[in-house]
Amino acid sequence: MRAGVSDLVLSPGARSQALALTAAAFARVGHLTVHVRIDERVAGFTALGLAVESGRPVAIVCTSGTAVANLHPAVLEAHHSGVPLIVLTADRPAELRGIGSNQTTVQTGIFGDIVRADWDIPAPIGAPGEADDARDLGALAVRASADGPVHLNLAYREPLSGLVVVPDDVVGGAVPAPPASTEPTVVDLRPNDATVVIAGHGAGARAEALAVAIGAPLVAEVSSGARFGRHAVVAYRDVLRGPHGEAVGRAIVFGHPTLSREVPQLLERSDVEVIVVRTPGVEVYNPGRRARVVDDVRVVGTPDPAVVRRWVGGWVSMSRAILESQAPDDPAPDLSLAVSDASGVRAAFAKAELAVLRAPIDRRMLARAAWASTWPHDRLVLAASRLIRVADALVPGKAITVHANRGLAGIDGTVSTATGIALAAARGEGSGTTRVLMGDLALLHDAGALLVPLPEGLRLHVFVGNDSGGTIFDDLEVAATANPDDFATVMRTPHRADFEALAAAGGWAYRRATTRAELDDALTAPEPLLLVEVPLDS
Ligand SMILES: Cc1ncc(C[n+]2csc(CCOP(=O)(O)OP(=O)(O)O)c2C)c(N)n1
Ligand SMILES: [Mg+2]
């Protein structure tokens, strides 16, 4: 707490008892919030969600052995997304390592280069100054975790714990700022009529601000945090493939784009000057290996309004035309007919309205409806299933908070991450609902996250588009030539999971939405913890 850590996620184990019981004692007097998870993989992703939503480092505690390895997926995602995690793993003391002791493996350096720092700390021996050293180490670890995960492997000797005494000088604190290393590189840019701003995952609002300041269209992925404003180009894939894309001479990149082929293709072009604004701690996105990498950009001068109208207006209106040419998922009945004097016309309106409400749900409708139901006080979490791509291709600009694990785009840990996000969001003023949009395999991968007791007052709604397997693979070229049965068995991996029973097992409410009306109902449902199954045809 003193160093700026307010959440700790732990899983039980004998070797880590001193850490767990100390954390519990700190939590009892309000210095820390402790979240307990049976499964270390779930614990790791819960910590990740807490950290991305709160912007603060989150500690994780687990015991020795395979427990540590179960944290690896979340630590990898944290590394690639620059999320602060402090991993505390308990271990045997030196004399018990390498002799076949129970539950003892090589934990030192287990995370390799993906942690910002790691320490192997010998078991305490009661020497003077040990407590001060431990405090200094804690502060050092918090500082080192500013832009990614750190690992402290802590040895404990019998007796593994003693009486916990909470010091009375614990006070809240801010996360200490990392010492500035070198002078940041800031490049001056003049507006022109050939610039595009690319906002990948985690780019943040500054990408939108730059697009406006420099007079450029904004290609903002759905989880970029920058998909809003008048410069946003929703149908960017098609626009990039057309004449506007060809006219690009300069691209300024924020965050980590992962959702299209067109963006990396643009950045590989030799006639495009690429400027990448670095995200601290995160590997530079540089598909063409030719980007100029900077810490920030500054706009010199103001864009000519006529140029902005022509250049940005061209992108935005082409995007709009493309979206309008696509079949709407819910052709709205003509509202003026509802107030017609003629009863026949009114009846026709009612019929048309009913047809919309009874229309079966497809992926586009689900993505659009979830987006439309998300407001600034809500959170939307997108799994690495097809739905994130569908949403990316069609949802309009809107300043809302969207999360997705795009560091490695794993389908693991999405529900766990969302619980962490919901827990952190619930502390805010007037916090809303955290909604998750995911495929069935992504949910089954993290089914354990539904079995966790969650505090009262948390609003977490999981929407699972169930097409019985990973239909994302149907878009692979090999799907056309592979043996269909083999393809289904080893790629799509169908299942017969009973989601209603799964929800019941964890004490979640369950709904099934098969029509637009049922979906709309589910999107405004009062249940605190809700699993909504949306059967999808393909
Ligand atoms: C941990 C992990 N394992 C495997 C994959 C590869 N993968 C990507 S998408 C996918 C299938 C997703 O299925 P589902 O969630 O049902 O979504 P759908 O494709 O049906 O929309 C898999 C297995 C991955 N990204 N992460
Ligand atoms: Mg699926």
PDB file of all heavy atoms in Angstrom, residues 73 363 383-387 408-413 438-443 445 464-473 491-493 495 536 538, ligand 1:
ATOM      1  N   PRO A  73       0.735 -17.535 -18.634  1.00  0.00           N
ATOM      2  CA  PRO A  73      -0.027 -16.846 -19.690  1.00  0.00           C
ATOM      3  C   PRO A  73      -0.292 -15.380 -19.370  1.00  0.00           C
ATOM      4  O   PRO A  73      -0.124 -14.508 -20.231  1.00  0.00           O
ATOM      5  CB  PRO A  73      -1.343 -17.639 -19.755  1.00  0.00           C
ATOM      6  CG  PRO A  73      -1.035 -18.971 -19.163  1.00  0.00           C
ATOM      7  CD  PRO A  73       0.052 -18.744 -18.160  1.00  0.00           C
ATOM      8  N   ARG A 363     -23.812 -12.430 -35.793  1.00  0.00           N
ATOM      9  CA  ARG A 363     -22.667 -11.828 -35.108  1.00  0.00           C
ATOM     10  C   ARG A 363     -22.657 -10.303 -35.206  1.00  0.00           C
ATOM     11  O   ARG A 363     -22.343  -9.602 -34.255  1.00  0.00           O
ATOM     12  CB  ARG A 363     -21.381 -12.384 -35.717  1.00  0.00           C
ATOM     13  CG  ARG A 363     -20.542 -13.107 -34.727  1.00  0.00           C
ATOM     14  CD  ARG A 363     -19.300 -13.664 -35.370  1.00  0.00           C
ATOM     15  NE  ARG A 363     -19.242 -15.062 -35.022  1.00  0.00           N
ATOM     16  CZ  ARG A 363     -19.746 -16.029 -35.755  1.00  0.00           C
ATOM     17  NH1 ARG A 363     -20.292 -15.761 -36.907  1.00  0.00           N
ATOM     18  NH2 ARG A 363     -19.693 -17.263 -35.332  1.00  0.00           N
ATOM     19  N   ALA A 383     -13.073 -10.761 -26.358  1.00  0.00           N
ATOM     20  CA  ALA A 383     -12.168 -11.914 -26.432  1.00  0.00           C
ATOM     21  C   ALA A 383     -11.544 -11.981 -27.821  1.00  0.00           C
ATOM     22  O   ALA A 383     -11.963 -11.277 -28.743  1.00  0.00           O
ATOM     23  CB  ALA A 383     -12.963 -13.195 -26.155  1.00  0.00           C
ATOM     24  N   ALA A 384     -10.577 -12.875 -27.968  1.00  0.00           N
ATOM     25  CA  ALA A 384      -9.918 -13.028 -29.271  1.00  0.00           C
ATOM     26  C   ALA A 384     -10.698 -13.993 -30.163  1.00  0.00           C
ATOM     27  O   ALA A 384     -10.123 -14.819 -30.855  1.00  0.00           O
ATOM     28  CB  ALA A 384      -8.491 -13.512 -29.069  1.00  0.00           C
ATOM     29  N   SER A 385     -12.009 -13.897 -30.133  1.00  0.00           N
ATOM     30  CA  SER A 385     -12.879 -14.703 -30.988  1.00  0.00           C
ATOM     31  C   SER A 385     -13.252 -13.851 -32.200  1.00  0.00           C
ATOM     32  O   SER A 385     -12.811 -12.709 -32.317  1.00  0.00           O
ATOM     33  CB  SER A 385     -14.138 -15.110 -30.214  1.00  0.00           C
ATOM     34  OG  SER A 385     -13.787 -15.695 -28.978  1.00  0.00           O
ATOM     35  N   ARG A 386     -14.105 -14.396 -33.090  1.00  0.00           N
ATOM     36  CA  ARG A 386     -14.449 -13.635 -34.288  1.00  0.00           C
ATOM     37  C   ARG A 386     -15.140 -12.320 -33.976  1.00  0.00           C
ATOM     38  O   ARG A 386     -15.057 -11.366 -34.749  1.00  0.00           O
ATOM     39  CB  ARG A 386     -15.374 -14.471 -35.181  1.00  0.00           C
ATOM     40  CG  ARG A 386     -14.625 -15.364 -36.103  1.00  0.00           C
ATOM     41  CD  ARG A 386     -15.550 -16.379 -36.721  1.00  0.00           C
ATOM     42  NE  ARG A 386     -16.322 -15.845 -37.830  1.00  0.00           N
ATOM     43  CZ  ARG A 386     -17.321 -16.527 -38.420  1.00  0.00           C
ATOM     44  NH1 ARG A 386     -17.640 -17.722 -37.990  1.00  0.00           N
ATOM     45  NH2 ARG A 386     -17.965 -16.001 -39.422  1.00  0.00           N
ATOM     46  N   LEU A 387     -15.854 -12.273 -32.854  1.00  0.00           N
ATOM     47  CA  LEU A 387     -16.655 -11.085 -32.557  1.00  0.00           C
ATOM     48  C   LEU A 387     -15.823  -9.800 -32.491  1.00  0.00           C
ATOM     49  O   LEU A 387     -16.304  -8.738 -32.868  1.00  0.00           O
ATOM     50  CB  LEU A 387     -17.408 -11.292 -31.243  1.00  0.00           C
ATOM     51  CG  LEU A 387     -18.689 -12.118 -31.386  1.00  0.00           C
ATOM     52  CD1 LEU A 387     -19.124 -12.673 -30.044  1.00  0.00           C
ATOM     53  CD2 LEU A 387     -19.804 -11.280 -32.016  1.00  0.00           C
ATOM     54  N   LEU A 408      -1.012 -10.736 -26.781  1.00  0.00           N
ATOM     55  CA  LEU A 408      -0.755 -11.993 -27.471  1.00  0.00           C
ATOM     56  C   LEU A 408      -2.024 -12.598 -28.066  1.00  0.00           C
ATOM     57  O   LEU A 408      -1.981 -13.690 -28.625  1.00  0.00           O
ATOM     58  CB  LEU A 408      -0.113 -13.009 -26.524  1.00  0.00           C
ATOM     59  CG  LEU A 408       1.345 -12.736 -26.178  1.00  0.00           C
ATOM     60  CD1 LEU A 408       1.878 -13.824 -25.267  1.00  0.00           C
ATOM     61  CD2 LEU A 408       2.210 -12.657 -27.430  1.00  0.00           C
ATOM     62  N   ALA A 409      -3.148 -11.890 -27.913  1.00  0.00           N
ATOM     63  CA  ALA A 409      -4.424 -12.337 -28.475  1.00  0.00           C
ATOM     64  C   ALA A 409      -4.751 -13.786 -28.108  1.00  0.00           C
ATOM     65  O   ALA A 409      -5.225 -14.565 -28.931  1.00  0.00           O
ATOM     66  CB  ALA A 409      -4.448 -12.158 -29.997  1.00  0.00           C
ATOM     67  N   GLY A 410      -4.491 -14.147 -26.861  1.00  0.00           N
ATOM     68  CA  GLY A 410      -4.847 -15.493 -26.401  1.00  0.00           C
ATOM     69  C   GLY A 410      -6.346 -15.583 -26.147  1.00  0.00           C
ATOM     70  O   GLY A 410      -6.975 -14.592 -25.779  1.00  0.00           O
ATOM     71  N   ILE A 411      -6.904 -16.784 -26.342  1.00  0.00           N
ATOM     72  CA  ILE A 411      -8.325 -16.947 -25.982  1.00  0.00           C
ATOM     73  C   ILE A 411      -8.455 -17.368 -24.512  1.00  0.00           C
ATOM     74  O   ILE A 411      -9.540 -17.622 -24.023  1.00  0.00           O
ATOM     75  CB  ILE A 411      -9.078 -17.956 -26.885  1.00  0.00           C
ATOM     76  CG1 ILE A 411      -8.438 -19.351 -26.823  1.00  0.00           C
ATOM     77  CG2 ILE A 411      -9.181 -17.450 -28.301  1.00  0.00           C
ATOM     78  CD1 ILE A 411      -9.362 -20.444 -27.318  1.00  0.00           C
ATOM     79  N   ASP A 412      -7.334 -17.475 -23.832  1.00  0.00           N
ATOM     80  CA  ASP A 412      -7.378 -17.847 -22.415  1.00  0.00           C
ATOM     81  C   ASP A 412      -7.577 -16.599 -21.545  1.00  0.00           C
ATOM     82  O   ASP A 412      -7.180 -15.511 -21.911  1.00  0.00           O
ATOM     83  CB  ASP A 412      -6.066 -18.550 -22.021  1.00  0.00           C
ATOM     84  CG  ASP A 412      -4.833 -17.796 -22.498  1.00  0.00           C
ATOM     85  OD1 ASP A 412      -4.979 -16.869 -23.322  1.00  0.00           O
ATOM     86  OD2 ASP A 412      -3.722 -18.125 -22.056  1.00  0.00           O
ATOM     87  N   GLY A 413      -8.204 -16.786 -20.433  1.00  0.00           N
ATOM     88  CA  GLY A 413      -8.205 -15.735 -19.411  1.00  0.00           C
ATOM     89  C   GLY A 413      -9.137 -14.561 -19.630  1.00  0.00           C
ATOM     90  O   GLY A 413      -9.048 -13.569 -18.904  1.00  0.00           O
ATOM     91  N   MET A 438     -17.752 -12.710 -26.285  1.00  0.00           N
ATOM     92  CA  MET A 438     -16.783 -13.766 -26.549  1.00  0.00           C
ATOM     93  C   MET A 438     -17.387 -14.952 -27.284  1.00  0.00           C
ATOM     94  O   MET A 438     -18.595 -15.128 -27.324  1.00  0.00           O
ATOM     95  CB  MET A 438     -16.147 -14.220 -25.238  1.00  0.00           C
ATOM     96  CG  MET A 438     -17.089 -14.888 -24.269  1.00  0.00           C
ATOM     97  SD  MET A 438     -16.387 -15.043 -22.595  1.00  0.00           S
ATOM     98  CE  MET A 438     -14.744 -15.603 -22.912  1.00  0.00           C
ATOM     99  N   GLY A 439     -16.504 -15.779 -27.846  1.00  0.00           N
ATOM    100  CA  GLY A 439     -16.936 -17.022 -28.470  1.00  0.00           C
ATOM    101  C   GLY A 439     -17.010 -18.131 -27.443  1.00  0.00           C
ATOM    102  O   GLY A 439     -16.563 -17.991 -26.295  1.00  0.00           O
ATOM    103  N   ASP A 440     -17.572 -19.256 -27.864  1.00  0.00           N
ATOM    104  CA  ASP A 440     -17.786 -20.369 -26.945  1.00  0.00           C
ATOM    105  C   ASP A 440     -16.481 -21.017 -26.491  1.00  0.00           C
ATOM    106  O   ASP A 440     -16.316 -21.366 -25.321  1.00  0.00           O
ATOM    107  CB  ASP A 440     -18.704 -21.421 -27.585  1.00  0.00           C
ATOM    108  CG  ASP A 440     -18.300 -21.742 -29.008  1.00  0.00           C
ATOM    109  OD1 ASP A 440     -18.116 -20.806 -29.792  1.00  0.00           O
ATOM    110  OD2 ASP A 440     -18.151 -22.931 -29.333  1.00  0.00           O
ATOM    111  N   LEU A 441     -15.489 -21.153 -27.406  1.00  0.00           N
ATOM    112  CA  LEU A 441     -14.228 -21.783 -26.971  1.00  0.00           C
ATOM    113  C   LEU A 441     -13.492 -20.894 -25.981  1.00  0.00           C
ATOM    114  O   LEU A 441     -12.899 -21.384 -25.017  1.00  0.00           O
ATOM    115  CB  LEU A 441     -13.319 -22.083 -28.167  1.00  0.00           C
ATOM    116  CG  LEU A 441     -13.734 -23.185 -29.138  1.00  0.00           C
ATOM    117  CD1 LEU A 441     -12.567 -23.582 -30.014  1.00  0.00           C
ATOM    118  CD2 LEU A 441     -14.290 -24.410 -28.420  1.00  0.00           C
ATOM    119  N   ALA A 442     -13.526 -19.603 -26.221  1.00  0.00           N
ATOM    120  CA  ALA A 442     -12.869 -18.682 -25.282  1.00  0.00           C
ATOM    121  C   ALA A 442     -13.502 -18.813 -23.902  1.00  0.00           C
ATOM    122  O   ALA A 442     -12.802 -18.822 -22.883  1.00  0.00           O
ATOM    123  CB  ALA A 442     -12.956 -17.247 -25.792  1.00  0.00           C
ATOM    124  N   LEU A 443     -14.821 -18.948 -23.856  1.00  0.00           N
ATOM    125  CA  LEU A 443     -15.475 -19.097 -22.550  1.00  0.00           C
ATOM    126  C   LEU A 443     -15.087 -20.425 -21.904  1.00  0.00           C
ATOM    127  O   LEU A 443     -14.745 -20.468 -20.714  1.00  0.00           O
ATOM    128  CB  LEU A 443     -16.994 -19.002 -22.685  1.00  0.00           C
ATOM    129  CG  LEU A 443     -17.752 -19.212 -21.364  1.00  0.00           C
ATOM    130  CD1 LEU A 443     -17.330 -18.195 -20.316  1.00  0.00           C
ATOM    131  CD2 LEU A 443     -19.248 -19.159 -21.550  1.00  0.00           C
ATOM    132  N   HIS A 445     -12.465 -22.139 -22.313  1.00  0.00           N
ATOM    133  CA  HIS A 445     -11.067 -22.086 -21.900  1.00  0.00           C
ATOM    134  C   HIS A 445     -10.925 -21.528 -20.485  1.00  0.00           C
ATOM    135  O   HIS A 445     -10.062 -21.932 -19.723  1.00  0.00           O
ATOM    136  CB  HIS A 445     -10.287 -21.204 -22.884  1.00  0.00           C
ATOM    137  CG  HIS A 445      -8.845 -21.544 -22.982  1.00  0.00           C
ATOM    138  ND1 HIS A 445      -8.020 -21.594 -21.886  1.00  0.00           N
ATOM    139  CD2 HIS A 445      -8.073 -21.865 -24.036  1.00  0.00           C
ATOM    140  CE1 HIS A 445      -6.797 -21.924 -22.272  1.00  0.00           C
ATOM    141  NE2 HIS A 445      -6.801 -22.104 -23.564  1.00  0.00           N
ATOM    142  N   VAL A 464     -21.949 -14.889 -24.718  1.00  0.00           N
ATOM    143  CA  VAL A 464     -21.186 -15.865 -25.472  1.00  0.00           C
ATOM    144  C   VAL A 464     -21.920 -16.198 -26.774  1.00  0.00           C
ATOM    145  O   VAL A 464     -23.059 -16.669 -26.755  1.00  0.00           O
ATOM    146  CB  VAL A 464     -20.863 -17.128 -24.628  1.00  0.00           C
ATOM    147  CG1 VAL A 464     -22.104 -17.768 -24.048  1.00  0.00           C
ATOM    148  CG2 VAL A 464     -20.078 -18.142 -25.438  1.00  0.00           C
ATOM    149  N   GLY A 465     -21.284 -15.895 -27.880  1.00  0.00           N
ATOM    150  CA  GLY A 465     -21.835 -16.264 -29.191  1.00  0.00           C
ATOM    151  C   GLY A 465     -21.456 -17.713 -29.434  1.00  0.00           C
ATOM    152  O   GLY A 465     -20.294 -18.018 -29.704  1.00  0.00           O
ATOM    153  N   ASN A 466     -22.444 -18.604 -29.317  1.00  0.00           N
ATOM    154  CA  ASN A 466     -22.136 -20.037 -29.353  1.00  0.00           C
ATOM    155  C   ASN A 466     -22.371 -20.621 -30.750  1.00  0.00           C
ATOM    156  O   ASN A 466     -23.508 -20.811 -31.178  1.00  0.00           O
ATOM    157  CB  ASN A 466     -22.981 -20.777 -28.312  1.00  0.00           C
ATOM    158  CG  ASN A 466     -22.598 -22.251 -28.235  1.00  0.00           C
ATOM    159  OD1 ASN A 466     -21.634 -22.685 -28.871  1.00  0.00           O
ATOM    160  ND2 ASN A 466     -23.340 -23.006 -27.458  1.00  0.00           N
ATOM    161  N   ASP A 467     -21.266 -20.884 -31.447  1.00  0.00           N
ATOM    162  CA  ASP A 467     -21.362 -21.555 -32.756  1.00  0.00           C
ATOM    163  C   ASP A 467     -20.695 -22.924 -32.680  1.00  0.00           C
ATOM    164  O   ASP A 467     -20.253 -23.466 -33.677  1.00  0.00           O
ATOM    165  CB  ASP A 467     -20.723 -20.686 -33.847  1.00  0.00           C
ATOM    166  CG  ASP A 467     -19.346 -20.204 -33.450  1.00  0.00           C
ATOM    167  OD1 ASP A 467     -18.759 -20.777 -32.505  1.00  0.00           O
ATOM    168  OD2 ASP A 467     -18.828 -19.265 -34.093  1.00  0.00           O
ATOM    169  N   SER A 468     -20.584 -23.434 -31.471  1.00  0.00           N
ATOM    170  CA  SER A 468     -20.005 -24.751 -31.199  1.00  0.00           C
ATOM    171  C   SER A 468     -18.640 -24.946 -31.837  1.00  0.00           C
ATOM    172  O   SER A 468     -18.467 -25.755 -32.742  1.00  0.00           O
ATOM    173  CB  SER A 468     -20.957 -25.864 -31.636  1.00  0.00           C
ATOM    174  OG  SER A 468     -20.398 -27.097 -31.250  1.00  0.00           O
ATOM    175  N   GLY A 469     -17.698 -24.183 -31.368  1.00  0.00           N
ATOM    176  CA  GLY A 469     -16.324 -24.369 -31.833  1.00  0.00           C
ATOM    177  C   GLY A 469     -15.705 -23.074 -32.317  1.00  0.00           C
ATOM    178  O   GLY A 469     -16.307 -22.005 -32.224  1.00  0.00           O
ATOM    179  N   GLY A 470     -14.514 -23.182 -32.819  1.00  0.00           N
ATOM    180  CA  GLY A 470     -13.784 -22.008 -33.302  1.00  0.00           C
ATOM    181  C   GLY A 470     -14.027 -21.803 -34.783  1.00  0.00           C
ATOM    182  O   GLY A 470     -13.251 -22.263 -35.613  1.00  0.00           O
ATOM    183  N   THR A 471     -15.113 -21.092 -35.109  1.00  0.00           N
ATOM    184  CA  THR A 471     -15.416 -20.910 -36.537  1.00  0.00           C
ATOM    185  C   THR A 471     -14.508 -19.851 -37.169  1.00  0.00           C
ATOM    186  O   THR A 471     -14.539 -19.659 -38.369  1.00  0.00           O
ATOM    187  CB  THR A 471     -16.899 -20.551 -36.767  1.00  0.00           C
ATOM    188  OG1 THR A 471     -17.183 -19.377 -36.028  1.00  0.00           O
ATOM    189  CG2 THR A 471     -17.810 -21.686 -36.330  1.00  0.00           C
ATOM    190  N   ILE A 472     -13.693 -19.208 -36.358  1.00  0.00           N
ATOM    191  CA  ILE A 472     -12.724 -18.242 -36.896  1.00  0.00           C
ATOM    192  C   ILE A 472     -11.824 -18.942 -37.925  1.00  0.00           C
ATOM    193  O   ILE A 472     -11.369 -18.351 -38.891  1.00  0.00           O
ATOM    194  CB  ILE A 472     -11.890 -17.635 -35.743  1.00  0.00           C
ATOM    195  CG1 ILE A 472     -11.258 -16.311 -36.147  1.00  0.00           C
ATOM    196  CG2 ILE A 472     -10.834 -18.600 -35.228  1.00  0.00           C
ATOM    197  CD1 ILE A 472     -10.717 -15.509 -34.955  1.00  0.00           C
ATOM    198  N   PHE A 473     -11.615 -20.253 -37.710  1.00  0.00           N
ATOM    199  CA  PHE A 473     -10.710 -20.992 -38.607  1.00  0.00           C
ATOM    200  C   PHE A 473     -11.337 -21.257 -39.977  1.00  0.00           C
ATOM    201  O   PHE A 473     -10.626 -21.588 -40.916  1.00  0.00           O
ATOM    202  CB  PHE A 473     -10.291 -22.317 -37.952  1.00  0.00           C
ATOM    203  CG  PHE A 473      -9.564 -22.115 -36.647  1.00  0.00           C
ATOM    204  CD1 PHE A 473      -9.951 -22.787 -35.501  1.00  0.00           C
ATOM    205  CD2 PHE A 473      -8.488 -21.236 -36.568  1.00  0.00           C
ATOM    206  CE1 PHE A 473      -9.289 -22.592 -34.300  1.00  0.00           C
ATOM    207  CE2 PHE A 473      -7.823 -21.037 -35.367  1.00  0.00           C
ATOM    208  CZ  PHE A 473      -8.224 -21.709 -34.228  1.00  0.00           C
ATOM    209  N   MET A 491      -9.565 -28.561 -35.993  1.00  0.00           N
ATOM    210  CA  MET A 491      -9.481 -27.100 -36.026  1.00  0.00           C
ATOM    211  C   MET A 491     -10.692 -26.450 -35.334  1.00  0.00           C
ATOM    212  O   MET A 491     -10.550 -25.703 -34.387  1.00  0.00           O
ATOM    213  CB  MET A 491      -9.385 -26.595 -37.476  1.00  0.00           C
ATOM    214  CG  MET A 491      -8.173 -27.103 -38.240  1.00  0.00           C
ATOM    215  SD  MET A 491      -6.590 -26.501 -37.565  1.00  0.00           S
ATOM    216  CE  MET A 491      -6.654 -24.779 -37.991  1.00  0.00           C
ATOM    217  N   ARG A 492     -11.868 -26.760 -35.824  1.00  0.00           N
ATOM    218  CA  ARG A 492     -13.042 -26.099 -35.228  1.00  0.00           C
ATOM    219  C   ARG A 492     -13.299 -26.611 -33.813  1.00  0.00           C
ATOM    220  O   ARG A 492     -13.792 -25.888 -32.961  1.00  0.00           O
ATOM    221  CB  ARG A 492     -14.272 -26.295 -36.116  1.00  0.00           C
ATOM    222  CG  ARG A 492     -15.376 -25.303 -35.796  1.00  0.00           C
ATOM    223  CD  ARG A 492     -16.557 -25.427 -36.747  1.00  0.00           C
ATOM    224  NE  ARG A 492     -16.146 -25.308 -38.132  1.00  0.00           N
ATOM    225  CZ  ARG A 492     -16.547 -26.119 -39.112  1.00  0.00           C
ATOM    226  NH1 ARG A 492     -17.387 -27.109 -38.849  1.00  0.00           N
ATOM    227  NH2 ARG A 492     -16.117 -25.964 -40.345  1.00  0.00           N
ATOM    228  N   THR A 493     -12.983 -27.845 -33.551  1.00  0.00           N
ATOM    229  CA  THR A 493     -13.154 -28.477 -32.223  1.00  0.00           C
ATOM    230  C   THR A 493     -14.539 -28.258 -31.597  1.00  0.00           C
ATOM    231  O   THR A 493     -14.678 -27.538 -30.610  1.00  0.00           O
ATOM    232  CB  THR A 493     -12.051 -28.024 -31.233  1.00  0.00           C
ATOM    233  OG1 THR A 493     -12.053 -26.608 -31.171  1.00  0.00           O
ATOM    234  CG2 THR A 493     -10.695 -28.504 -31.648  1.00  0.00           C
ATOM    235  N   HIS A 495     -18.072 -28.962 -29.559  1.00  0.00           N
ATOM    236  CA  HIS A 495     -18.295 -29.476 -28.191  1.00  0.00           C
ATOM    237  C   HIS A 495     -19.786 -29.453 -27.923  1.00  0.00           C
ATOM    238  O   HIS A 495     -20.559 -28.912 -28.730  1.00  0.00           O
ATOM    239  CB  HIS A 495     -17.583 -28.567 -27.188  1.00  0.00           C
ATOM    240  CG  HIS A 495     -18.083 -27.159 -27.295  1.00  0.00           C
ATOM    241  ND1 HIS A 495     -19.184 -26.720 -26.619  1.00  0.00           N
ATOM    242  CD2 HIS A 495     -17.673 -26.118 -28.072  1.00  0.00           C
ATOM    243  CE1 HIS A 495     -19.422 -25.465 -26.953  1.00  0.00           C
ATOM    244  NE2 HIS A 495     -18.534 -25.069 -27.844  1.00  0.00           N
ATOM    245  N   LEU A 536     -25.456 -19.072 -32.404  1.00  0.00           N
ATOM    246  CA  LEU A 536     -25.168 -18.513 -33.735  1.00  0.00           C
ATOM    247  C   LEU A 536     -25.127 -19.664 -34.725  1.00  0.00           C
ATOM    248  O   LEU A 536     -24.606 -20.735 -34.412  1.00  0.00           O
ATOM    249  CB  LEU A 536     -23.824 -17.780 -33.725  1.00  0.00           C
ATOM    250  CG  LEU A 536     -23.724 -16.544 -32.828  1.00  0.00           C
ATOM    251  CD1 LEU A 536     -22.287 -16.042 -32.764  1.00  0.00           C
ATOM    252  CD2 LEU A 536     -24.649 -15.429 -33.314  1.00  0.00           C
ATOM    253  N   SER A 538     -23.552 -19.991 -37.671  1.00  0.00           N
ATOM    254  CA  SER A 538     -22.237 -20.376 -38.223  1.00  0.00           C
ATOM    255  C   SER A 538     -21.205 -19.362 -37.765  1.00  0.00           C
ATOM    256  O   SER A 538     -21.548 -18.322 -37.257  1.00  0.00           O
ATOM    257  CB  SER A 538     -22.268 -20.371 -39.732  1.00  0.00           C
ATOM    258  OG  SER A 538     -22.613 -19.078 -40.169  1.00  0.00           O
TER     259      SER A 538
HETATM  260  C1  LIG B   1      -4.599 -19.737 -25.526  1.00  0.00           C
HETATM  261  C2  LIG B   1      -4.933 -19.809 -26.974  1.00  0.00           C
HETATM  262  N1  LIG B   1      -5.060 -21.000 -27.566  1.00  0.00           N
HETATM  263  C3  LIG B   1      -5.382 -21.079 -28.881  1.00  0.00           C
HETATM  264  C4  LIG B   1      -5.567 -19.949 -29.624  1.00  0.00           C
HETATM  265  C5  LIG B   1      -5.886 -20.041 -31.098  1.00  0.00           C
HETATM  266  N2  LIG B   1      -7.266 -19.594 -31.337  1.00  0.00           N
HETATM  267  C6  LIG B   1      -7.553 -18.384 -31.827  1.00  0.00           C
HETATM  268  S1  LIG B   1      -9.180 -18.130 -32.039  1.00  0.00           S
HETATM  269  C7  LIG B   1      -9.547 -19.689 -31.512  1.00  0.00           C
HETATM  270  C8  LIG B   1     -10.953 -20.203 -31.515  1.00  0.00           C
HETATM  271  C9  LIG B   1     -11.905 -19.281 -30.856  1.00  0.00           C
HETATM  272  O1  LIG B   1     -13.144 -19.901 -30.789  1.00  0.00           O
HETATM  273  P1  LIG B   1     -14.384 -19.124 -30.226  1.00  0.00           P
HETATM  274  O2  LIG B   1     -14.000 -18.417 -28.982  1.00  0.00           O
HETATM  275  O3  LIG B   1     -15.539 -20.068 -30.149  1.00  0.00           O
HETATM  276  O4  LIG B   1     -14.648 -17.999 -31.313  1.00  0.00           O
HETATM  277  P2  LIG B   1     -15.166 -18.141 -32.819  1.00  0.00           P
HETATM  278  O5  LIG B   1     -14.010 -18.404 -33.667  1.00  0.00           O
HETATM  279  O6  LIG B   1     -16.131 -19.274 -32.893  1.00  0.00           O
HETATM  280  O7  LIG B   1     -15.777 -16.832 -33.086  1.00  0.00           O
HETATM  281  C10 LIG B   1      -8.389 -20.372 -31.139  1.00  0.00           C
HETATM  282  C11 LIG B   1      -8.380 -21.768 -30.624  1.00  0.00           C
HETATM  283  C12 LIG B   1      -5.404 -18.706 -28.969  1.00  0.00           C
HETATM  284  N3  LIG B   1      -5.547 -17.538 -29.597  1.00  0.00           N
HETATM  285  N4  LIG B   1      -5.107 -18.662 -27.658  1.00  0.00           N
END
